[in-house]
Amino acid sequence: MTGRITMHCHVSGRVQGVWFRGGAREQARALGIDGYARNLPDGRVDVLARGTPEAVAALLDWLRQGPPNAEVAELQHEQVDVIPDKGFRIL
């Protein structure tokens, strides 16, 4: 079995009110990723994603663009030692 990693991400730009969290949840579920997506008060989206390195890399690729109406200005991410609950939720 391939190991799993957890990535903590902050996505900035026009990423709230454009179905970014819902799209991230769809992508994460399709990739078998656990974690969450939530809006932050400063306008960014906070994402925690745990899965195989390949699955997490695929989600990061999606986060760099987001859904059609989003305009991602920046994606910051770092690997962390956190194990989220099973499934992918919108908080």
Side-chain angles (χ1 to χ4, degrees), residues 31-33 51-60:
L31 293 163
I33 290 175
T52 65
E54 298 81 10
V56 172
L59 182 62
L60 289 175

Side-chain angles (χ1 to χ4, degrees), residues 11 15 17-31 33 36-39 45 47 58-70 88-90:
V11 189
V15 293
V18 294
W19 210 70
F20 199 96
R21 293 175 301 154
R25 179 177 59 190
E26 282 187 355
Q27 295 295 317
R29 287 181 173 173
L31 293 163
I33 290 175
Y36 63 77
R38 67 178 170 189
N39 286 340
V45 171
V47 177
L59 182 62
L60 289 175
D61 286 343
W62 186 89
L63 293 174
R64 285 183 180 93
Q65 293 196 299
N69 291 327
F88 195 91
R89 300 173 293 140
I90 294 176

